[in-house]
Amino acid sequence: DAGVIQSPRHEVTEMGQEVTLRCKPISGHNSLFWYRQTMMRGLELLIYFNNNVPIDDSGMPEDRFSAKMPNASFSTLKIQPSEPRDSAVYFCASSFGAARGDTQYFGPGTRLTVL
Amino acid sequence: GNSVTQMEGPVTLSEEAFLTINCTYTATGYPSLFWYVQYPGEGLQLLLKATKADDKGSNKGFEATYRKETTSFHLEKGSVQVSDSAVYFCALSEDNYGQNFVFGPGTRLSVLP
């Protein structure tokens, strides 16, 4: 299996622009997670889906952030408008099930820089 | 709420030294415990896990034992290599449906030749 695929790997944009990050989970996995990693705050869970349905979005920082999962093989995280404080590495992860012992498999991440 | 505490880094060791990275947790229920590793420029990878008390997870020479009485899951390796240089994250998952999956702040390990 190719693992979790994220695109783009790097994104540089200007403040106010819309940014869309993409994720393809591992085939057969039913849960998908979006994380943000910064030096100051570490790894933060933004939102997760189970069977394409958002279960918990309490980690989404504000209304500028939105996430969708239109089908089992694709998810997007959108920031509109972007701000410099959104600069971070964004990770997507997927897991086979939703049990507490299930392993999350991470993608390589998207490094976002907002100027 | 649930939380994970790890020893402050960075940790710098010489090759073949013994490694311990401490991890303690707070949880309201009975969590599963994980160690993830992040190599430079990459995403996190599962290193090992344990799902019940006294279980020992092991992989690539690393091991950790789930100690419910001390709420700990310390990571150990008998002889580190330069290739072990990475950031190590302790994490817990308490509930089904991925809820309360909490990561520690990470501990950066540098192994010198």
Side-chain angles (χ1 to χ4, degrees), chain B residues 58 93 95-96 104:
Chain B
S58 61
S93 175
D95 298 326
N96 290 337

Side-chain angles (χ1 to χ4, degrees), chain B:
Chain B
N2 296 346
S3 65
V4 174
T5 302
Q6 291 180 236
M7 62 187 293
E8 295 260 343
V11 174
T12 302
L13 296 174
S14 298
E15 204 164 24
E16 299 183 0
F18 184 85
L19 169 71
T20 299
I21 300 178
N22 290 338
C23 170
T24 57
Y25 67 90
T26 302
T28 54
Y30 194 169
S32 293
L33 302 174
F34 304 78
W35 276 101
Y36 280 81
V37 59
Q38 185 178 28
Y39 299 103
E42 298 184 11
L44 280 71
Q45 305 173 23
L46 177 70
L47 182 60
L48 53 86
K49 71 179 184 182
T51 58
K52 61 182 187 294
D54 300 325
D55 269 2
K56 177 185 285 188
S58 61
N59 185 26
K60 300 180 181 179
F62 292 89
E63 59 182 34
T65 301
Y66 190 140
R67 300 290 187 198
K68 196 169 189 293
E69 63 277 13
T70 56
T71 62
S72 65
F73 193 54
H74 304 322
L75 181 68
E76 297 182 336
K77 186 174 184 182
S79 176
V80 294
Q81 306 300 312
V82 173
S83 58
D84 294 328
S85 299
V87 181
Y88 292 82
F89 293 88
C90 186
L92 69 81
S93 175
E94 184 174 24
D95 298 326
N96 290 337
Y97 299 101
Q99 291 173 319
N100 294 317
F101 204 110
V102 177
F103 283 89
T107 301
R108 182 175 298 278
L109 170 66
S110 294
V111 181
L112 305 178

Side-chain angles (χ1 to χ4, degrees), chain A residues 45-95:
Chain A
L45 177 65
L46 300 178
I47 185 171
Y48 76 92
F49 296 83
N50 184 253
N51 291 323
N52 311 337
V53 176
I55 302 299
D56 185 356
D57 64 355
S58 59
M60 296 285 263
E62 49 198 273
D63 291 345
R64 298 185 297 107
F65 286 68
S66 62
K68 294 182 180 179
M69 192 164 186
N71 56 62
S73 59
F74 184 67
S75 177
T76 59
L77 178 68
K78 184 176 294 187
I79 307 172
Q80 165 64 18
S82 59
E83 296 182 3
R85 59 192 168 120
D86 302 329
S87 297
V89 181
Y90 291 81
F91 289 104
C92 176
S94 69
S95 65

